[in-house]
Amino acid sequence: MCHRFEMVSGEEADAVLDWLRAVRRALNAGGSTAATAVVPPAFGRPVDVSFDALDCYPGAESSVIVMEGERVEGDLVSDGEGGSFAGDCGGDLARIDLLWGVDVSWKRGLVFNARIESALSGSGLWNQAIEDGRCIVPVRAFYETRNVDEGARGRKPQYRFSNAGGTALLLAGLCLNDRFVLVTCEPDAVVGRVHSRMPLSLTAPEALAWLDRSTDARDLLARHVPVSLKAQEEPA
């Protein structure tokens, strides 16, 4: 259950926005080969900014990326993996600032994660959001506290997970009014050694498909390519 991530600044979020726009143009013009040639922005651990200024917890504000415009049908674009997704459907990508976590009547405190299994079930809190409220949350890293090997005694360490290539992570999210939640899924091999869930981290073409409301989320997830992550144990 992710309850902390490391934000990018507004300027860096705009750089991610420009990158995704360039990837979308490349996909529409030349397919996946052209898209891989688009260099993504890289954000290492900040040197001149305190961690406290970038740490995001439920209730805090963070930049997210959305696709504006009405839902329309578009031409299919190859994803390079034998599948396809809707290309440029007329909507522009935009950055907005939202609060992390939503208030609900049946739970004390904020709900800040949405299980992808629940979101795809077609009922409940996420029913409309999975259709019309998808967003991407660009982050430097996310954190998980060890919840596997529950028999171990003492402090449960926290781990920082970032892109092994040093570029920004594109986490899938859902918007509800002026708030958003992160979408979680089964962990990959790296996160699975630490935690039983993880945020859904997408490649750039997958992120564009996630934002495109004409894309079936189930088809996207069936072809999901795990992002290569690296783990680093945080000091006590």
Side-chain angles (χ1 to χ4, degrees):
M1 181 176 67
C2 180
H3 66 276
R4 175 192 177 198
F5 65 83
E6 198 173 294
M7 295 183 289
V8 296
S9 68
E11 181 179 349
E12 291 165 340
D14 286 338
V16 173
L17 185 63
D18 290 341
W19 169 47
L20 289 177
R21 285 171 174 160
V23 170
R24 185 167 68 163
R25 289 193 298 270
L27 284 170
N28 285 319
S32 59
T33 301
T36 57
V38 181
V39 179
F43 310 120
R45 282 206 161 188
V47 176
D48 55 351
V49 180
S50 68
F51 288 127
D52 290 343
L54 292 176
D55 273 349
C56 189
Y57 292 92
E61 188 177 72
S62 179
S63 293
V64 306
I65 295 173
V66 298
M67 183 176 287
E68 298 178 324
E70 295 298 321
R71 181 175 182 170
V72 294
E73 297 300 324
D75 295 332
L76 295 180
V77 174
S78 171
D79 64 359
E81 301 292 336
S84 59
F85 59 85
D88 190 343
C89 291
D92 189 22
L93 302 178
R95 174 175 71 89
I96 59 176
D97 295 328
L98 301 177
L99 297 176
W100 184 19
V102 299
D103 289 299
V104 294
S105 60
W106 42 266
K107 181 181 182 298
R108 185 176 181 179
L110 297 173
V111 173
F112 46 89
N113 292 328
R115 296 173 67 93
I116 188 60
E117 299 88 348
S118 300
L120 293 176
S121 68
S123 61
L125 183 62
W126 319 119
N127 182 33
Q128 193 63 36
I130 193 66
E131 295 296 329
D132 300 316
R134 301 180 204 171
C135 67
I136 291 295
V137 187
V139 307
R140 275 187 165 84
F142 65 87
Y143 295 81
E144 297 289 3
T145 301
R146 179 183 292 278
N147 77 344
V148 298
D149 189 19
E150 293 289 355
R153 293 187 176 184
R155 169 184 171 266
K156 294 183 179 180
Q158 190 173 79
Y159 289 78
R160 180 183 189 267
F161 294 94
S162 58
N163 193 316
T167 59
L169 289 173
L170 304 173
L171 305 185
L174 297 174
C175 300
L176 292 91
N177 300 317
D178 63 344
R179 294 175 177 269
F180 75 93
V181 297
L182 293 179
V183 173
T184 67
C185 61
E186 293 290 327
D188 63 13
V190 175
V191 180
R193 292 193 288 268
V194 174
H195 204 275
S196 56
R197 301 289 294 183
M198 67 174 287
L200 177 57
S201 184
L202 303 173
T203 65
E206 288 175 342
L208 291 167
W210 175 261
L211 291 173
D212 192 328
R213 287 167 288 181
S214 64
T215 301
D216 188 310
R218 288 182 176 82
D219 291 343
L220 170 63
L221 292 170
R223 296 181 280 107
H224 172 55
V225 179
V227 174
S228 180
L229 298 173
K230 64 178 182 180
Q232 181 178 356
E233 183 175 348
E234 291 294 283

